[in-house]
Amino acid sequence: MRLSRYFLPILRETPKEAEIVSHRLMLRAGMIRQEASGIYAWLPLGLRVLQKVGQIVREEMDRAGAIELLMPTLQLADLWRETGRYEAYGPEMLRIVDRHKRELLYGPTNEDMITEIFRAYIRSYRDLPKILYHIQWKFRDEQRPRFGVMRGREFLMKDAYSFDVDEASSRLSYNRMFVSYLRIFARMGLRAIPMRAETGPIGGDLSHEFIILAQTGESGVFCHADVLNLPVPGEDIDYDADLTPVIEAWTRLYAATEDVHDAARFERETPEDKRIHTRGIEVGQVFYFGDKYSKPMQALIAGPDGVERPFQGGSYGVGVSRLVGALIEANHDEAGIIWPEAVAPFRIGLANLKVGDGATDAACAELYAAFQKAGVDVLYDDTDERPGAKFAKLDLIGLPYQVIVGPKGLAEGKVEVKTRATGDRQSYPLAEAVARLTEA
Amino acid sequence: MRLSRYFLPILRETPKEAEIVSHRLMLRAGMIRQEASGIYAWLPLGLRVLQKVGQIVREEMDRAGAIELLMPTLQLADLWRETGRYEAYGPEMLRIVDRHKRELLYGPTNEDMITEIFRAYIRSYRDLPKILYHIQWKFRDEQRPRFGVMRGREFLMKDAYSFDVDEASSRLSYNRMFVSYLRIFARMGLRAIPMRAETGPIGGDLSHEFIILAQTGESGVFCHADVLNLPVPGEDIDYDADLTPVIEAWTRLYAATEDVHDAARFERETPEDKRIHTRGIEVGQVFYFGDKYSKPMQALIAGPDGVERPFQGGSYGVGVSRLVGALIEANHDEAGIIWPEAVAPFRIGLANLKVGDGATDAACAELYAAFQKAGVDVLYDDTDERPGAKFAKLDLIGLPYQVIVGPKGLAEGKVEVKTRATGDRQSYPLAEAVARLTEA
């Protein structure tokens, strides 16, 4: 992409309304624009990250055997009356009346609707287990939206739902999603710790929040230091095999949010030099809730014995839009964002330091074509801004590699490659720069 | 994907509420489920088609130089008051009040919001031309939703917006989108005819609807028969070159919707044996509207002369979810859907006619692995249904190729390959079947 043709509105000043670093950087780097309180437009650079995060979530859900569908954003109020949640949900639910005076709502979550879909088609244990998921916009009418996309009102969430004939089987589905979550966050370069947590308005008796440790986190957390070094299963993980050893390794050490924290147990189980008490950002949560929805909605499954019973369920959420903010909270410095490669909007920023100079333009054109041919995402700064502004912009938007092309280097046949994360700078002949940055 | 693990709820009976064939077939083939009047959940098979249609639109927008962003579904009422559209839009606009009594609406289109975004960042003719687009859910509170996804209330639309400093340049952007639309529909195997059309609530003085001829279409259309045989530009089209010859070829022959039909001109310009009068389905519309939004919203651009003026704009819509229905209207027979390859949910349906038979299971496993390794989407019917039911299901869901594996053929070392569109059946050794169905 040529920057002269792109739409990347960088802000020079730091926006005053932004309280945390990810919000400030997303505004300054032209990733988002606020359209109403807690409602954002995703500008081109931000959307590229959102799409990459969503695609990683999708690939890992598919790998774990979950099936993708897509439920609508608006739902019938009557559906939520079946479970008693229409009244119970409170003011965070955005309630809507259409032209025919029918009551709708903008879905804050989808347990009720997915149960309705399941009930309409599935009757037999032979069709189970199933895990269905979608990635869709949700709305929660927060009293006080803040922190940019970290606590917005309109937000993109992946929510998965499991359907099983009995509790033992449902725990297996829970374990699949648990392992899938370990992989999702690891692929983005994040270390997310599963912590025992409150079940809240979803309900149920078993839940883990997946939490990134960060001083700017919204809640206090307590954990054993060794949980930060546990291995994450590789992509060859067999989801049909027994996942218990993985789950046990990840739940054996103490890790809990302050809501369910048990100080005595923490001190008993965790040596003093291993005790971590810090703050964390929730990026995902898994729930086992049994028949909480299937029972009131009479979503019944005939078992091998022919007897009908409500299915056993769980739900599994990942905040896709929130993750974009969380990724920045975990990856930035004074100069701006430092994207992990897997979610970077472009892999390479190519800076032409002397637009209009024949040799520099030709070298940039050659590099740009070579990167494109190799299928590498590259943003080519072909504008006539001065070098200092180009460097600052590339540091701010945080692409993993910068390729800097100017007459001085080219006189020696070289271009400079800067690695954003380390600040390391090396000069290479053009062909070598291409080879190094396009190898898988 | 193994059918035993998939979620494909086929309906045996023809749903009574469905008035047109695409709606009936989408319900029967387990593609969608109605969640409220005009509001649908996209079940896994339907979602795969929706995603493929969306991806073709995205690729062709990118090829034409348009830049993707993503605006939210909800918008502030005050934004629409700036252009006078909040009052003018009428009961099709879904109006919403949040917990703080702020007036919102579910966006039916995005001219106002994109103008607000543009106004916030772009001031100079040097940043133009620009075409920005997004693919997002919209809502229009239709008085009487019908025809399934063809006239739903919550629908997925691609809408692009062009920004230019003067009218001449704006016509060039219009031409780009016009050519891009020719390519989008052609890639899906559809022949969409650009027809002069009313501008309606978007406004402006130039508009074309892209229309597929179909007896079940919602509006009458008149055109010259030769327009059905015009060549569509290839993927090597240069969008920076002069596109006038393409536009002239496609607009020279008479083609108009009944709203703007001029009978005298039609008869004067079109020989009697070339006159087509039929019905059509609108799948896209392009508008040039000048300063209709930029003027009231004071979205000003400084020209080369330093003088500020409102930008000249156009908007360009493709009904992504509607296209799924339109594709079925244009591609079906008595037995079900016949997907064009580019949008088929899976390329191949693999039918095991004797599950449990060692040789048949082994042959299917081999084929399934070979197709997956080649990166071909395959749906493997590994259920214990009888062969007749499997054949009917594969015909109904309309995958381009069926690979039928049973003990009889395997005794001769062969499997049968049926081409859904032609009904052609050929027997091949396994390796040859794989080779024929995986070649690009």
Side-chain angles (χ1 to χ4, degrees):
Chain A
M1 177 61 62
R2 286 173 177 272
L3 186 56
S4 62
R5 296 183 165 208
Y6 203 46
F7 179 51
L8 180 62
I10 300 291
L11 299 187
R12 293 246 166 66
E13 279 106 62
T14 298
K16 287 195 191 66
E17 74 272 26
E19 298 170 67
I20 60 171
V21 67
S22 60
H23 190 192
R24 277 198 299 275
L25 288 172
M26 288 183 77
L27 291 168
R28 284 193 53 217
M31 292 179 63
I32 53 170
R33 175 172 179 77
Q34 181 171 305
E35 291 298 330
S37 173
I39 300 178
Y40 292 87
W42 290 75
L43 303 179
L45 196 78
L47 177 60
R48 289 181 74 99
V49 179
L50 188 71
Q51 287 172 333
K52 291 199 176 186
V53 169
Q55 186 58 24
I56 289 174
V57 172
R58 175 175 288 121
E59 287 171 12
E60 294 302 327
M61 282 292 108
D62 292 348
R63 193 193 306 280
I67 308 288
E68 187 176 9
L69 46 61
L70 184 60
M71 291 175 270
T73 62
L74 299 195
Q75 309 187 15
L76 284 177
D78 280 346
L79 182 62
W80 287 61
R81 292 201 171 96
E82 285 194 54
T83 55
R85 287 217 289 179
Y86 188 69
E87 284 70 29
Y89 210 93
E92 282 190 14
M93 176 180 282
L94 187 66
R95 293 154 213 261
I96 302 169
V97 178
D98 74 10
R99 69 189 290 171
H100 296 301
K101 307 294 173 212
R102 279 173 299 213
E103 292 172 285
L104 301 168
L105 57 95
Y106 200 124
T109 177
N110 284 64
E111 285 81 6
D112 316 74
M113 186 180 280
I114 198 75
T115 300
E116 188 278 330
I117 290 173
F118 182 89
R119 178 177 68 184
Y121 302 113
I122 298 190
R123 304 274 149 72
S124 162
Y125 75 97
R126 277 187 295 263
D127 293 322
L128 301 186
K130 283 263 184 289
I131 302 177
L132 303 174
Y133 78 98
H134 75 159
I135 302 176
Q136 178 61 294
W137 293 91
K138 314 280 191 298
F139 200 94
R140 288 183 192 160
D141 201 359
E142 298 268 357
Q143 167 73 15
R144 194 189 157 204
R146 58 197 294 208
F147 305 148
V149 300
M150 298 280 285
R151 198 186 294 177
R153 293 197 293 168
E154 186 171 325
F155 61 99
L156 187 61
M157 185 162 92
K158 184 285 299 178
D159 36 326
Y161 303 91
S162 65
F163 305 90
D164 284 278
V165 71
D166 57 29
E167 182 180 334
S169 166
S170 192
R171 300 264 166 173
L172 298 181
S173 295
Y174 186 92
N175 290 352
R176 274 179 186 244
M177 290 294 100
F178 188 106
V179 170
S180 179
Y181 277 34
L182 293 175
R183 283 195 42 77
I184 285 171
F185 303 119
R187 275 189 64 185
M188 297 177 194
L190 291 173
R191 169 129 310 238
I193 312 295
M195 301 197 179
R196 285 182 300 106
E198 287 273 21
T199 56
I202 307 288
D205 66 354
L206 173 64
S207 179
H208 286 88
E209 284 184 8
F210 285 73
I211 286 179
I212 297 165
L213 305 188
Q215 290 301 332
T216 51
E218 70 263 320
S219 55
V221 297
F222 300 82
C223 70
H224 190 299
D226 290 353
V227 81
L228 295 171
N229 300 310
L230 290 171
V232 171
E235 68 175 41
D236 58 345
I237 176 89
D238 178 1
Y239 280 101
D240 292 330
D242 181 9
L243 300 171
T244 317
V246 180
I247 309 298
E248 281 180 355
W250 278 90
T251 53
R252 193 174 45 83
L253 298 171
Y254 191 93
T257 62
E258 62 192 356
D259 296 339
V260 297
H261 179 53
D262 176 343
R265 194 182 139 194
F266 184 49
E267 285 164 25
R268 192 168 66 241
E269 294 181 3
T270 314
E272 199 163 345
D273 64 334
K274 295 284 191 182
R275 287 178 204 155
I276 294 179
H277 174 204
T278 182
R279 303 190 68 76
I281 299 168
E282 187 216 317
V283 287
Q285 188 162 9
V286 292
F287 301 91
Y288 164 70
F289 49 64
D291 62 7
K292 178 175 159 70
Y293 299 93
S294 56
K295 198 170 173 183
M297 293 184 69
Q298 285 291 291
L300 306 180
I301 286 297
D305 53 8
V307 177
E308 290 191 325
R309 67 206 73 180
F311 74 78
Q312 295 286 307
S315 70
Y316 314 91
V318 169
V320 175
S321 48
R322 150 174 276 246
L323 261 170
V324 179
L327 279 158
I328 295 174
E329 291 293 329
N331 299 282
H332 67 271
D333 62 14
E334 294 284 296
I337 304 165
I338 305 169
W339 290 115
E341 291 205 28
V343 295
F346 297 91
R347 179 172 161 90
I348 297 170
L350 173 63
N352 182 333
L353 298 190
K354 198 166 184 185
V355 170
D357 174 69
T360 311
D361 289 351
C364 286
E366 183 187 331
L367 289 163
Y368 185 54
F371 291 135
Q372 286 195 305
K373 195 179 163 200
V376 172
D377 288 335
V378 53
L379 181 65
Y380 172 23
D381 188 345
D382 59 344
T383 65
D384 57 6
E385 277 196 305
R386 61 193 169 70
K390 291 194 178 189
F391 297 146
K393 185 179 293 184
L394 284 177
D395 279 352
L396 173 62
I397 68 175
L399 310 185
Y401 301 101
Q402 301 172 11
V403 177
I404 298 155
V405 184
K408 206 171 140 190
L410 286 176
E412 298 172 16
K414 291 187 174 176
V415 296
E416 192 173 59
V417 175
K418 175 178 165 182
T419 303
R420 175 68 179 90
T422 60
D424 176 65
R425 293 161 178 275
Q426 299 284 341
S427 287
Y428 299 112
L430 271 67
E432 191 179 342
V434 171
R436 283 177 176 268
L437 294 177
T438 56
E439 63 201 8
Chain B
M1 176 62 61
R2 286 171 176 275
L3 186 56
S4 61
R5 295 183 166 209
Y6 204 46
F7 179 50
L8 181 63
I10 300 291
L11 299 187
R12 293 246 166 66
E13 278 107 61
T14 298
K16 286 195 192 65
E17 75 273 26
E19 298 170 66
I20 60 172
V21 66
S22 61
H23 190 193
R24 278 198 298 275
L25 288 173
M26 288 182 78
L27 290 169
R28 285 193 53 215
M31 292 179 64
I32 52 170
R33 176 173 178 76
Q34 181 172 305
E35 290 298 331
S37 173
I39 301 177
Y40 292 88
W42 291 75
L43 303 180
L45 196 77
L47 177 60
R48 289 180 75 98
V49 180
L50 187 70
Q51 288 172 332
K52 292 200 176 185
V53 169
Q55 185 56 25
I56 288 174
V57 172
R58 175 175 288 123
E59 287 170 10
E60 293 302 328
M61 282 292 108
D62 293 347
R63 192 192 308 278
I67 307 289
E68 187 176 9
L69 45 61
L70 184 60
M71 290 174 269
T73 63
L74 299 195
Q75 308 187 17
L76 283 177
D78 281 345
L79 181 62
W80 287 62
R81 290 200 172 97
E82 286 194 54
T83 55
R85 288 217 287 179
Y86 188 68
E87 284 71 28
Y89 211 93
E92 282 190 15
M93 176 180 281
L94 187 66
R95 293 154 211 262
I96 302 169
V97 178
D98 75 8
R99 68 189 291 173
H100 295 301
K101 307 294 174 214
R102 279 173 300 214
E103 291 172 285
L104 301 168
L105 57 96
Y106 200 124
T109 176
N110 284 65
E111 285 82 7
D112 316 75
M113 186 180 279
I114 197 76
T115 300
E116 188 278 330
I117 290 172
F118 181 90
R119 178 177 68 183
Y121 302 113
I122 297 192
R123 304 273 150 73
S124 164
Y125 76 97
R126 278 187 295 264
D127 293 323
L128 301 187
K130 282 264 183 290
I131 302 177
L132 303 174
Y133 78 97
H134 75 158
I135 301 176
Q136 178 61 293
W137 292 92
K138 314 281 191 299
F139 200 94
R140 289 184 193 159
D141 202 358
E142 298 269 357
Q143 168 72 14
R144 193 188 158 203
R146 58 196 297 206
F147 305 148
V149 300
M150 297 279 285
R151 199 186 292 176
R153 294 198 291 168
E154 187 171 326
F155 61 99
L156 187 61
M157 185 162 91
K158 183 284 299 178
D159 35 326
Y161 303 91
S162 65
F163 305 89
D164 283 278
V165 72
D166 58 29
E167 182 180 334
S169 166
S170 193
R171 298 266 166 171
L172 298 180
S173 294
Y174 186 92
N175 290 352
R176 275 178 187 246
M177 290 294 101
F178 188 106
V179 171
S180 179
Y181 277 35
L182 293 176
R183 284 194 44 75
I184 285 171
F185 303 119
R187 276 188 64 185
M188 297 176 193
L190 290 173
R191 169 129 312 238
I193 312 295
M195 301 197 179
R196 284 182 300 108
E198 287 273 21
T199 56
I202 306 289
D205 66 354
L206 173 63
S207 179
H208 286 89
E209 285 185 7
F210 285 73
I211 286 180
I212 298 165
L213 304 188
Q215 289 301 332
T216 51
E218 69 264 322
S219 54
V221 297
F222 299 82
C223 71
H224 190 299
D226 290 353
V227 82
L228 296 171
N229 300 310
L230 290 170
V232 171
E235 67 176 39
D236 58 347
I237 176 88
D238 178 1
Y239 280 101
D240 291 331
D242 181 8
L243 301 171
T244 317
V246 181
I247 307 298
E248 281 180 354
W250 279 90
T251 54
R252 192 175 46 83
L253 298 171
Y254 191 94
T257 62
E258 62 192 357
D259 296 339
V260 298
H261 179 54
D262 176 341
R265 193 182 142 195
F266 183 49
E267 284 163 27
R268 193 168 62 241
E269 295 181 3
T270 315
E272 199 164 346
D273 63 335
K274 294 284 191 181
R275 288 178 203 155
I276 293 179
H277 175 205
T278 181
R279 302 189 70 76
I281 299 168
E282 187 217 315
V283 287
Q285 188 162 8
V286 292
F287 302 91
Y288 164 70
F289 49 63
D291 61 8
K292 176 175 160 72
Y293 299 93
S294 55
K295 199 169 172 182
M297 293 183 69
Q298 285 292 292
L300 306 179
I301 286 297
D305 53 9
V307 177
E308 291 191 325
R309 67 206 73 183
F311 74 78
Q312 295 285 306
S315 70
Y316 314 91
V318 168
V320 176
S321 48
R322 150 175 277 247
L323 261 170
V324 179
L327 279 158
I328 295 174
E329 291 292 330
N331 299 281
H332 67 272
D333 63 13
E334 294 285 296
I337 304 166
I338 304 170
W339 290 114
E341 291 205 28
V343 295
F346 297 92
R347 180 172 161 88
I348 296 169
L350 173 63
N352 183 332
L353 299 190
K354 199 165 184 186
V355 170
D357 174 68
T360 310
D361 290 351
C364 285
E366 184 187 331
L367 289 163
Y368 185 54
F371 291 134
Q372 286 195 304
K373 195 178 163 202
V376 171
D377 288 335
V378 52
L379 181 65
Y380 172 23
D381 188 345
D382 60 343
T383 65
D384 56 7
E385 277 196 305
R386 61 192 170 71
K390 291 192 178 189
F391 297 146
K393 184 179 293 186
L394 284 177
D395 280 351
L396 173 63
I397 68 174
L399 310 184
Y401 302 100
Q402 301 172 11
V403 177
I404 299 155
V405 184
K408 207 170 138 190
L410 286 176
E412 296 172 18
K414 291 187 173 176
V415 297
E416 191 172 58
V417 175
K418 175 177 165 182
T419 303
R420 175 68 180 88
T422 60
D424 175 65
R425 295 162 177 274
Q426 299 285 340
S427 286
Y428 298 112
L430 272 67
E432 192 180 342
V434 171
R436 284 177 176 267
L437 294 177
T438 56
E439 64 201 7

